[in-house]
Amino acid sequence: MDLLILDSVNDDPVVKSVKGISSVSTLTKPTVTTPGGGTGGPGTLVHTNTSTSAISNGSGARSLITTTVLDSPNDKILYPFRVKHLGKTEVYILYASSAQNRQEWCDKIIEAKTRHASSLFAQNAEPFKLRVLADTAFAYDSQSGGPKGVIIKGTPLDRSIEECEKSFYGTGPKPSPVCRAQVNCATTFNQPFGKRMIAVGTDFGVFISEDGNARAWTRVVNATHVTQVAVIEDFSLFIIISDKSLIAYHLETVCPVGGAGTAADSRKAPQKLSGNRDVGFFAVGRQKDRTLVFYKKKDGISSTFKVLEPVYQKSATSTRSRFAIRRGTTDFFRDFDDFYIPSETYAIDLFQSSLAISTARGIEILTLDKKVPISVPDLKPPEVASIAQRIQNQKPLGMFRLSDNEFLLVFEEVGIYVDKHGDVSRAVVMEFVGKAKQACLIGGMYLILVDAGAGFVEVRNAVNGRLRQVISGRDVKLLDAGQTSGTVKICMQHPEQERNQVVLEMLVNEGSKE
């Protein structure tokens, strides 16, 4: 039931003729009784011989449509509505005999999904609940957005929006958006000796708000096309990718504890850590008993990775600052290492002494001591031939640790279990519902897959592969994998305010049951 989506309920009527089905240019609504001659339930579904057509699914691809007509006493004017199965490309068009009959069918589907959502909540069966971080601040620009979707009451998304609305009840009208641009990334961090804050990166800069206040967002970094953001709290550093350049800021200049920066803070200029428009992504982690920043520098179809180490500097002008201010410049990173991958790369995952890089050739493991990549999984043994065939031509999304002895390799459509040596450890393949574009592991147990094209988040038990939860929405994307902040954040079109984007935090429901 979670995977059944009512895609549209009010499409324009169409005319059925011997040549097929076409749109109606001018229509006077006829009086048509529902099948069965009364006002009871919807009529019977029967197939009609129509040609297969196609529509755009919003991402530029074309989707096959299977058409079905509801038994109608008047076969000339039909009222369509669409349903689809998440993760599938087909969109099914059903035709009702009247607008009233169509509404009855849609109401029954909505009622069934509402009961299902209520049942899941009553059973405490969903591993994640949602919390709204922003509901009015980030709007779409004039070229983006889409039509309003069908709202299902009682889902985690619906409950989170209702809770947010209640928290602001009686505070006056909703504030206007502070940004009309695409939301791309987010993180959570603590101010130095201050409050817990949320940062959101957009095509129009970086915005912050105090955690718990979804309607108090302020722009703090004036930049374009911010695609990744992270905070290194131990060094009070704020790092972003803006226009494919890696830039570091002192945290107190971005988010002053007292709410306003000092004159000394204003002199702490940001430091550009990379060249111009050549950075794909970065990751922050600890290796060799130190905090390191890894970033990918694209070089044609190959990738060079630079490794930087943030360092403490003694200030010549202020004993309060941890950073040097010398001749108007600030130096708070040093080159630590670099390595080369002769392939296009998509992601990097850091472990205690090694790192995994998702490449066009698969997933490769290496260490900074021995920069010799090893491809995993080992697909040479004949007993894993079927697995080798299944992951052929699939883009890898990441490698995640399940235990000291087992890892999960995630591709677009499947997950593969391997041991610490890179050998396949289970003959079973974890099949996904959709074709994931982003993936992350939270709590060492839950695999979160985001299928942006189909519009849903798929949550699986990473150990046994079971599907645990589905969160559907238009224009859904992963903003924060939780590697440094501890919680996963997603964004989607607001289901009730279609011109707005809603930013959500996925919180583990500790009491959920398998």
Side-chain angles (χ1 to χ4, degrees), residues 1 19 52 82 92 111 146-147 153 163 173 189 198 225 239 272 282 302 313 374 393 420:
M1 182 60 71
K19 295 181 179 180
T52 301
R82 302 179 186 183
Y92 297 91
E111 179 184 351
K153 305 298 290 184
E163 290 171 3
F189 65 95
I198 310 292
H225 197 49
I239 307 175
K272 193 173 184 180
F282 72 89
S302 302
Q313 294 286 347
I374 302 173
N393 299 323
K420 59 183 180 181

Side-chain angles (χ1 to χ4, degrees), residues 192-476:
F193 312 106
K195 302 174 181 178
R196 189 160 177 80
M197 308 294 291
I198 310 292
V200 168
T202 74
D203 284 347
F204 190 57
V206 178
F207 296 76
I208 64 170
S209 176
E210 183 180 340
D211 189 12
N213 192 341
R215 297 178 181 176
W217 290 88
T218 305
R219 187 165 72 159
V220 294
V221 176
N222 185 3
T224 57
H225 197 49
V226 178
T227 55
Q228 194 173 349
V229 58
V231 174
I232 308 178
E233 292 185 11
D234 291 342
F235 294 85
S236 292
L237 294 177
F238 192 91
I239 307 175
I240 68 172
I241 292 180
S242 172
D243 245 352
K244 298 184 180 180
S245 296
L246 187 65
I247 305 172
Y249 297 80
H250 294 278
L251 185 57
E252 58 260 41
T253 65
V254 174
C255 185
V257 175
T262 64
D265 290 338
S266 65
R267 293 197 298 269
K268 296 177 181 178
Q271 181 179 354
K272 193 173 184 180
L273 306 177
S274 68
N276 293 322
R277 301 180 63 85
D278 62 355
V279 176
F281 53 83
F282 72 89
V284 179
R286 286 193 62 82
Q287 286 198 0
K288 295 180 173 292
D289 295 323
R290 63 192 74 202
T291 299
L292 298 175
V293 177
F294 297 71
Y295 75 89
K296 169 207 168 179
K297 179 181 179 181
K298 187 173 182 180
D299 185 12
I301 60 173
S302 302
S303 302
T304 298
F305 282 84
K306 299 288 187 179
V307 186
L308 305 176
E309 181 186 11
V311 293
Y312 290 113
Q313 294 286 347
K314 293 182 179 179
S315 173
T317 60
S318 173
T319 57
R320 292 178 55 197
S321 175
R322 290 188 251 176
F323 307 103
I325 305 176
R326 296 173 294 182
R327 297 186 181 91
T329 62
T330 305
D331 181 18
F332 45 100
F333 277 91
R334 73 178 182 92
D335 292 336
F336 183 81
D337 210 336
D338 57 60
F339 56 92
Y340 171 78
I341 300 293
S343 175
E344 177 63 274
T345 57
Y346 312 119
I348 182 171
D349 297 291
L350 305 179
F351 305 109
Q352 291 179 352
S353 59
S354 63
L355 50 98
I357 301 176
S358 300
T359 77
R361 303 185 303 182
I363 296 177
E364 302 191 357
I365 308 295
L366 57 84
T367 65
L368 291 180
D369 293 327
K370 298 179 181 179
K371 301 179 181 66
V372 180
I374 302 173
S375 296
V376 294
D378 182 2
L379 300 175
K380 295 184 182 67
E383 59 268 22
V384 297
S386 60
I387 293 179
Q389 184 178 8
R390 185 66 184 88
I391 65 175
Q392 188 175 10
N393 299 323
Q394 284 202 36
K395 179 180 176 181
L397 302 179
M399 179 175 181
F400 307 105
R401 181 192 295 274
L402 299 181
S403 67
D404 291 339
N405 299 313
E406 193 170 42
F407 295 81
L408 179 64
L409 309 181
V410 178
F411 296 82
E412 290 176 306
E413 298 177 358
V414 298
I416 308 295
Y417 295 97
V418 299
D419 59 25
K420 59 183 180 181
H421 304 293
D423 298 323
V424 175
S425 58
R426 305 189 197 182
V428 63
V429 172
M430 185 193 302
E431 294 281 352
F432 306 150
V433 172
K435 187 172 184 178
K437 300 297 185 295
Q438 300 165 293
C440 65
L441 184 73
I442 195 71
M445 181 177 180
Y446 296 112
L447 177 64
I448 297 176
L449 304 158
V450 177
D451 187 339
F456 72 103
V457 178
E458 181 177 345
V459 180
R460 289 187 174 272
N461 183 312
V463 178
N464 58 35
R466 293 174 183 167
L467 180 63
R468 293 297 316 280
Q469 189 174 3
V470 173
I471 303 170
S472 62
R474 298 179 186 267
D475 193 31
V476 62

